[in-house]
Amino acid sequence: MTLTAPSPTTTVRSSRRWLALSFLALAQFLVVLDASIVNIALPVLGEQLAMSTAALAWVITAYVLAFGGLLLLGGRLADRYGRRRIFLIGTAGFVAASALAGFSFSSEMLLAARALQGMSAALLAPSALALLTQLFPAPGDRSKALGVWGGVAGIGSAAGVLLGGVLTGAFGWQSVFFVNVPVGVIVLVAVPLLISRDTASASEKLDVWGAVTITGALVAIVGALSAVEQVGILHPLPLGLLVVAVVLGAAFIAIEQRTASPLVPLGIFRTRTLAIGNLVVLLVGAGMVALFFALSVYMQAVLGYDALTTGLSQLPLAGALVVVAGIVPALVQRLGLTPTLIGSLLVLAAGLVWLSFAPADAGFVAHLLGPTLLIGIGLGGAFVTATQLSVDGVEGGEAGLAGGLVNTSQQIGSALGLAVLGTVASLRTEALTAAGVAVPEAMTEGFSWLFLGAAAVTVAGAVVAGFARRPSAR
């Protein structure tokens, strides 16, 4: 049996679509995993490749810049040349880049491999989400599929910390890259067998100048936000990059208004659910990346946990996220999409506020287990429903673009949250240390401010979600 998706150019084998979803989600798992698994390996990696602290930061930044900067282009390429084709190209590139990173014998080789990983992920992620929306056109099934998607993302976030510690300790830093290779190969074999080839719509001319300007603008803004963490917000580098981002962004809008085949039809933002959903994704991303960064540092630098214990301590959060992501579709059917999203965001904010009260000598069961479970519950509901809101009402021919927008919003939010909330925590810690407060207590207070800031951002997301209404007009 063959199912025709909303786009007239794409067909999938519906009899095995849930199995196909599992392999699409597995590929997305690699993208999420790679955002965190490298962190634990950085000290060992830096020692063996003789990399300075500044150079080590580029191991993360090279991936983030390429990924965030090319996501919209990747989504549009999927719409133009076939979602399955672009997905497979992105997955193959990710596997090759991971192997190259594992074999790296110099910092230059490693950074080039990380940039290639980011470029490949920018093809993989939006095309995978576009394929999901076409495999599951019915709202009920799509909600269930996004529940699976959200659960896998939660596992990837927690598994990155856990696997990073285990693999680095047992097999060396190279293993955090090599682990992607067999999983990626499995995806490359399975997906062509389960999802039929879609007809490319390459008859329309690709908007080259639009691609150049928006890619440059996204790279500049993500680079500026990443630079804030290293040199401060008033340094000429982030300020200059922000100016470049604004100029290129303005040029992009002017180009899109004039071209016959725009890379991003600006009218897509008149889809109310898409615009609001992406803003919510940005805000949730801002709070959550800062949270996971601070929680990991707090557990190791203040509470004295080792890398493995830190990873294990985050499993309850990930477990709660996975369970809730699985039951969200039923909640959406009963309560509606927007009420479920708002409720999830408020639960998430409550968990963050609770976590802000954790002391410098916190016990895991007494002070951390409760709030992290609440955070997992809220995050599981928020991630699934915000993603569904972002892709609802989007025409099939723009599914790849919608996937690119969701991932772009998450990446920009992540960079923004880490830059702003991380700076707030750092400034508070430095002020208390200068006043004579002991370092553990000063760091704890700084992280407390970060958690409260993340809660405020999450509440802002709930307010924004309140403006969503269905159906939306285009």
Side-chain angles (χ1 to χ4, degrees):
M1 177 180 177
T2 299
L3 172 70
T4 302
S7 167
T9 60
T10 303
T11 58
V12 294
R13 300 183 182 97
S14 63
S15 59
R16 292 181 288 178
R17 59 183 181 163
W18 289 101
L19 183 59
L21 171 65
S22 67
F23 289 104
L24 293 175
L26 189 59
Q28 179 69 8
F29 171 84
L30 292 181
V31 173
V32 176
L33 181 74
D34 233 62
S36 58
I37 193 172
V38 180
N39 291 331
I40 301 297
L42 287 179
V44 178
L45 184 157
E47 182 179 348
Q48 293 191 11
L49 294 183
M51 298 178 70
S52 65
T53 302
L56 284 177
W58 275 98
V59 176
I60 305 299
T61 303
Y63 179 83
V64 171
L65 283 179
F67 186 27
L70 294 170
L71 272 166
L72 284 182
L73 178 59
R76 210 47 171 164
L77 288 174
D79 288 333
R80 287 286 190 267
Y81 302 112
R83 285 90 192 214
R84 194 189 79 161
R85 176 187 296 174
I86 297 300
F87 172 81
L88 293 174
I89 291 173
T91 304
F94 197 86
V95 169
S98 297
L100 184 65
F103 284 119
S104 294
F105 52 80
S106 68
S107 58
E108 293 81 6
M109 183 176 176
L110 177 61
L111 293 178
R114 287 290 284 169
L116 182 57
Q117 273 189 314
M119 293 169 61
S120 301
L123 299 177
L124 185 162
S127 55
L129 187 55
L131 286 170
L132 180 151
T133 63
Q134 294 182 339
L135 280 165
F136 302 94
D141 286 345
R142 181 178 293 181
S143 182
K144 293 176 183 178
L146 288 171
V148 174
W149 195 262
V152 168
I155 295 173
S157 298
V161 179
L162 177 60
L163 286 177
V166 172
L167 291 174
T168 301
F171 305 105
W173 64 265
Q174 295 90 342
S175 60
V176 303
F177 299 111
F178 285 141
V179 70
N180 297 328
V181 175
V183 179
V185 169
I186 291 172
V187 172
L188 286 171
V189 172
V191 166
L193 298 176
L194 297 170
I195 301 177
S196 59
R197 181 181 302 169
D198 41 332
T199 304
S201 57
S203 56
E204 295 184 47
K205 187 176 179 181
L206 186 65
D207 178 15
V208 176
W209 287 111
V212 170
T213 51
I214 190 59
T215 298
L218 290 172
V219 168
I221 194 169
V222 174
L225 294 171
S226 299
V228 167
E229 305 166 44
Q230 302 171 33
V231 297
I233 195 168
L234 298 179
H235 191 277
L237 177 60
L239 291 176
L241 287 173
L242 283 175
V243 171
V244 171
V246 170
V247 171
L248 289 175
F252 169 74
I253 292 174
I255 291 169
E256 298 309 279
Q257 289 175 334
R258 290 172 172 80
T259 185
S261 301
L263 181 74
V264 181
L266 299 181
I268 195 172
F269 294 105
R270 290 198 293 270
T271 303
R272 190 179 185 88
T273 52
L274 177 141
I276 291 176
N278 274 276
L279 185 52
V280 173
V281 167
L282 185 148
L283 292 169
V284 172
M288 288 310 97
V289 168
L291 162 70
F292 285 121
F293 167 77
L295 196 57
S296 179
V297 175
Y298 167 66
M299 288 179 172
Q300 294 182 74
V302 177
L303 301 183
Y305 292 6
D306 59 23
L308 179 58
T309 305
T310 300
L312 291 172
S313 67
Q314 294 188 30
L315 287 180
L317 187 158
L321 190 156
V322 171
V323 171
V324 170
I327 65 175
V328 162
L331 290 175
V332 169
Q333 287 188 339
R334 182 172 181 178
L335 304 176
L337 181 59
T338 301
T340 303
L341 173 57
I342 293 173
S344 298
L345 290 169
L346 293 178
V347 170
L348 176 56
L352 289 164
V353 171
W354 187 1
L355 184 61
S356 71
F357 289 100
D361 58 349
F364 179 74
V365 175
H367 301 101
L368 302 180
L369 181 59
T372 54
L373 281 173
L374 208 58
I375 289 168
I377 292 170
L379 187 57
F383 183 86
V384 173
T385 49
T387 303
Q388 183 173 349
L389 192 67
S390 301
V391 299
D392 271 6
V394 176
E395 296 175 1
E398 295 174 341
L401 173 60
L405 285 169
V406 172
N407 283 279
T408 300
S409 298
Q410 187 173 358
Q411 286 298 308
I412 292 176
S414 299
L416 180 63
L418 199 53
V420 175
L421 297 178
T423 299
V424 168
S426 178
L427 291 175
R428 181 59 178 167
T429 299
E430 290 174 4
L432 291 174
T433 304
V437 177
V439 172
E441 284 74 17
M443 292 183 67
T444 301
E445 179 73 9
F447 289 138
S448 176
W449 281 40
L450 183 149
F451 297 144
L452 289 173
V457 169
T458 304
V459 171
V463 173
V464 170
F467 289 96
R469 68 168 182 260
R470 300 174 67 190
S472 66
R474 207 58 210 265

